[in-house]
C-alpha cells in the first residue's frame, strides 16, 4: 500500500464520517449512528468506494482502544461499582431474554437445537463500543442510569466471551465444558481486579515520573502506551477483549490529578481514530442480510420475527466485543 | 497482522522513543536524535527487536505528514518569504558544495563519472523533517536564522527532487533531460503558489463552515483532512513530496484565527506519530554502512573522507525527503 492510497482512504473515511455525523446530529440522532451509516454507504455493501485494508483495520483497532480508554477516563470507578449489582442484573437479563426468545422461536419453527443455540447466542451480544459511544454522544456518561448501562455493557462483554466459548464448545464437541466457563469468567474477574488494584496504587508513582520528564509529549505517549497498549495487549494475551484493558487504564487514570490533562490530549487523537472504527463496522454490513427474502423462507421469517421483537439493528452489526481479538 | 502484534509493536516504539528522547535531552542533545538512535537500537541493524511492518510504515508516513503540518502551523509565511532570497542562497550552496566535493573526491580517486555523480548527489540531500524537528526541539522555530534554514530546507527538498530526476535520467539514458528539470521545478513552484493563494483566500470560509458544525472533533478532523491528507495526496499525485502539501496547509491555517485551537489539538496527535517516523528511519540504518572497511578499500576511503569533511550522518540516514513518494 503506497502513501497515496493510505492518504486517499483516510480522506474518504474522515469526510464521510463528518458529513454523516453532522447530518444525523441535526436529525436528532447520535453521531455514532452517522458513522455506522457512512461505513455502510462507502463499504462493499454500499457504493463500494472503499474496502477494509489491513491498515484501515489496524487504525480501527487503535480507534476502539482509544474510545474505551477515553470512556474509562470519563467514568468513576466507585460509581460503576456502586451500580454493580444493578448492572449485573441488567446484563444478565439483557443476555438471557434475547437468548431465550431467539432459541425459542427457532425451536418453535422446528430448527435443530444447535441452530437455535447459535441464533440465540448471536442475539445476546451488545457492543460496549457502541453503547458507550452513544451515551457519550448524548452527553449522558455522567447520569446514574448511564453508569448502570455502561457497567452492564462491560459485564455483558464478559458474559459474551463466555457464551462464545460455550457455543464454540457446543459446535465442536456437542458438549459444553463447565470448566471452560469457570476459567473464562475467573480470568476476566482476576484481570479487572488486579489491573484496578495495582493501577490505582501505582498511578501516582507514574504521574510523578512523567512530571519529572523534560521532553514534550511525555504524558500523552505514556498514557496511551500503558492505557491503550500495555494493558490492552495483556488482556488480549490472556484471551480477553483488548478493550477491557484500555477501559481499565482509563478508569485508573481518572483517579489521578492529571485526569484533565490526559483527557484534553486524548480527545483529538480519539476524534481522528474512533470514527475509523465505527465506519469499518459499517463497511462489514451486507445489506442483503437485512432482507429476509434473501434467506430460505423459514430462517428469514425467524430473523424477521426476532428483529421485529427487538426493533433494533444489533444483529446486523458484527459484534466485535464478542470477539476475543478485539 | 493481529491486534496484539500491532499493540506490542507500538509499545516498543513509544517506550524506546521516550526513554531515548529523555536521555538525549538530558545530555544536551535534541530529542529527534534520541528517536533516530532508538530506531537504530531496536531495528534490524541493532538488537533486531522490531522490523518495519507495513502498518508501522503507514503510521510513520502519517507521522511525517503531521510533523510538517505542525511546523507549517508554527511558521509565518511572510517571514519565510522575506527570508526567501537568503534561503535560496543557503539551499543552493548547501546543494552545490557537497555535490562538488563528493564528485571531486570520487573522480580524484579514479572512479567513473557516473559513480562520482551518484556519490555527489547522495551528499546533497537534507531532510526537511529532521531539520525542522531539530529546530523545533531546540525551541528555535521563531528565530530569524531558523526561518532561513527552514526555507532553505524546503527549497532544498525541491532541488533534491530535481537532482533525483536528473540522476535517474543520467543512469537510465546516460543523458540529462533539460525538459524534465524545468518541468519538475515548474510543478513544485506552481503547486506551492496555487496552494498558498487559494488556501489563504478560502481558509476563512473553511473556518466559518467548521464553526457552524455541531459535532465534536470537527476542527481537528477537517484540519488533518485538508492539511495532512488532501494536499499531501495532491502533492504526491503530481510527483512532489507529500510533506510539501501538508507544510503548505500548515502555513495556510497559521494565518487563520483558529491557529491556536488547531495547534493545541494537533500536538498530542503529532506527539504520538512523529516519533514512529524518526524511529523507522533509524531502523533502516545498517551499522555496517558506517564501517568503511566493510566496503572495498577505495570506496570506503572516499566515504570516510566525505564523512570527515561534513562531520555528520546525513548520508547514512535515508533521505526520505528526496523520495517523491514521501
Amino acid at each position: 500500500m503506497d502513501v497515496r492510497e493510505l492518504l486517499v482512504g483516510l480522506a474518504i473515511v474522515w469526510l464521510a464520517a463528518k458529513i454523516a455525523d453532522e447530518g444525523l446530529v441535526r436529525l436528532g440522532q447520535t453521531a455514532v449512528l452517522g458513522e455506522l451509516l457512512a461505513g455502510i454507504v462507502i463499504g462493499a455493501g454500499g457504493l463500494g468506494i472503499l474496502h477494509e485494508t489491513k491498515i484501515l483495520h489496524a487504525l480501527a483497532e487503535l480507534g476502539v482502544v482509544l474510545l474505551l480508554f477515553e470512556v474509562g477516563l470519563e467514568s468513576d470507578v466507585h460509581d460503576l461499582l456502586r451500580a454493580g449489582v444493578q448492572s449485573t442484573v441488567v446484563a444478565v437479563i439483557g443476555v438471557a431474554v434475547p437468548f431465550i426468545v431467539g432459541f425459542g422461536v427457532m425451536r418453535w419453527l422446528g430448527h435443530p437445537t444447535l441452530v437455535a443455540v447459535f441464533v440465540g447466542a448471536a442475539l445476546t451480544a451488545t457492543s460496549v463500543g457502541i453503547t458507550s459511544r452513544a451515551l457519550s454522544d448524548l452527553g449522558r456518561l455522567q447520569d446514574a442510569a448511564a453508569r448502570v448501562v455502561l457497567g452492564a455493557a462491560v459485564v455483558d462483554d464478559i458474559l459474551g466471551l463466555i457464551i462464545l466459548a460455550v457455543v464454540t464448545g457446543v459446535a465442536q464437541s456437542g458438549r459444553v465444558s463447565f470448566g471452560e466457563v469457570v476459567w473464562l469468567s475467573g480470568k476476566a474477574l482476576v484481570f479487572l481486579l488486579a489491573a484496578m488494584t495495582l493501577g490505582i496504587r501505582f498511578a501516582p508513582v507514574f504521574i510523578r515520573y512523567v512530571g519529572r520528564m523534560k521532553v514534550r509529549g511525555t504524558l500523552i505517549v505514556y498514557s496511551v502506551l500503558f492505557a491503550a497498549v500495555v494493558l490492552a495487549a495483556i488482556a488480549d494475551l490472556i484471551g480477553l477483549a483488548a478493550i477491557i484493558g484500555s477501559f481499565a487504564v482509563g478508569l485508573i487514570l481518572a483517579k489521578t490529578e492529571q485526569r484533565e490533562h490526559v483527557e484534553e490530549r486524548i480527545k483529538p487523537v480519539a476524534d481522528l481514530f474512533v470514527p475509523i472504527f465505527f465506519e469499518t463496522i459499517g463497511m462489514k454490513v451486507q445489506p442483503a442480510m437485512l432482507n429476509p427474502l434473501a434467506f430460505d423462507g423459514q430462517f428469514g421469517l425467524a430473523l424477521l420475527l426476532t428483529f421485529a421483537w427487538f426493533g433494533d439493528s444489533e444483529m446486523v452489526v458484527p459484534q466485535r466485543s464478542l470477539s476475543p481479538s478485539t
Side-chain angles (χ1 to χ4, degrees), chain A residues 63-73 128-129 132 243 246-247 250:
Chain A
V64 68
V65 159
L66 289 170
L67 170 68
L68 268 286
F69 174 52
E70 198 197 327
V71 170
L73 212 51
V128 186
S132 53
I243 50 173
S246 53
F247 181 65

Side-chain angles (χ1 to χ4, degrees), chain A residues 120-257:
Chain A
L123 289 172
T124 63
T126 352
S127 165
V128 186
I130 294 178
T131 310
S132 53
R133 172 70 191 271
L135 289 171
S136 167
D137 279 354
L138 295 167
R140 292 285 181 84
L141 272 181
Q142 309 306 328
D143 290 13
R147 286 195 296 268
V148 173
V149 173
L150 195 61
V154 174
V155 175
D156 202 337
D157 210 38
I158 298 167
L159 289 178
L161 277 168
I162 298 170
I163 290 173
L164 185 73
V166 171
V167 171
T168 314
V170 168
Q172 280 170 355
S173 63
R175 283 178 309 165
V176 178
S177 154
F178 181 71
E180 179 113 19
V181 174
V182 174
W183 172 234
L184 256 174
S185 340
K187 265 201 303 199
L189 210 65
V190 169
F191 173 78
L192 275 177
L193 282 179
M196 298 305 296
T197 314
L198 288 174
I200 289 178
R201 173 151 310 171
F202 288 106
V205 181
F206 162 72
I207 294 292
R208 268 203 307 280
Y209 169 76
V210 167
R212 280 203 309 270
M213 296 295 108
K214 290 176 176 177
V215 285
R216 182 192 133 173
T218 305
L219 183 63
I220 173 82
V221 170
Y222 275 112
S223 297
V224 172
L225 179 68
F226 279 99
V229 177
V230 176
L231 254 85
I234 294 176
D236 182 67
L237 191 72
I238 63 171
L240 295 172
I243 50 173
I244 292 183
S246 53
F247 181 65
V249 186
L251 286 176
I252 293 164
L253 288 183
K255 304 296 285 180
T256 67
E257 61 200 51

